[in-house]
Amino acid sequence: MIARALLVFLLCLPAVAQTGPCSEQFVKAQAAKPHPDSVADDVYFFSGALDKPVIGKPAADKAFAPITAERKNETREPLRPERIVAAPSGDMAYEYGTVHDAFDERRTGKHIDFTAAYLRVWRAEGGTCKLAAEIFEPEGEK
């Protein structure tokens, strides 16, 4: 009887141990949104569309401005996380998966359609969970 009670207690520990803001449920909810609710000031961002990584949301916005200007009819499906892992403390989490993007080049009208693999890292900051790093890379031929 004691052994059974101990087993039930041990199986419940992971559920009660995750007390911080970066939970699996939080990350899953963020994946369904077009943009994360909260981004760290020093977010690290890299994409196949960039020559080099950028640090900070203002730098990412600046780096993507000319890219966005060259695209029209852009559509992005919601992220499809394949795995989400949150620290038991809830102070960090990561997710990886795929996303489908499509757009037309403004100059040529050429239609671009691809699936990208992604990795996102989350960290607790000031009682909330913020996006700390985001990397996207198109799948397929290089």
Side-chain angles (χ1 to χ4, degrees):
M1 182 71 160
I2 293 174
R4 182 178 286 167
L6 182 59
L7 179 61
V8 169
F9 174 76
L10 290 174
L11 290 174
C12 291
L13 275 179
V16 296
Q18 197 172 40
T19 57
C22 294
S23 67
E24 184 176 339
Q25 294 79 14
F26 174 85
V27 173
K28 186 180 248 183
Q30 294 300 302
K33 298 178 179 184
H35 302 286
D37 286 340
S38 189
V39 176
D41 290 340
D42 62 345
V43 64
Y44 175 95
F45 187 82
F46 186 66
S47 161
L50 299 173
D51 291 330
K52 61 183 180 177
V54 293
I55 297 173
K57 188 165 178 355
D61 291 344
K62 183 178 179 181
F64 269 99
I67 295 166
T68 302
E70 289 298 317
R71 296 177 178 183
K72 65 180 182 176
N73 304 323
E74 188 166 11
T75 59
R76 172 180 272 185
E77 294 177 4
L79 299 176
R80 294 184 303 264
E82 292 176 27
R83 182 156 191 216
I84 299 171
V85 177
S89 64
D91 63 347
M92 289 195 80
Y94 71 86
E95 69 176 294
Y96 59 80
T98 58
V99 63
H100 187 82
D101 256 337
F103 62 88
D104 298 324
E105 290 180 340
R106 194 171 296 282
R107 273 184 298 121
T108 66
K110 180 180 176 184
H111 184 71
I112 308 292
D113 196 309
F114 64 96
T115 297
Y118 76 90
L119 169 68
R120 299 200 305 180
V121 178
W122 300 86
R123 75 167 186 248
E125 184 180 299
T128 63
C129 189
K130 295 187 176 185
L131 184 65
E134 188 171 56
I135 301 168
F136 289 88
E137 184 65 34
E139 294 180 335
E141 294 183 31
K142 297 275 179 190

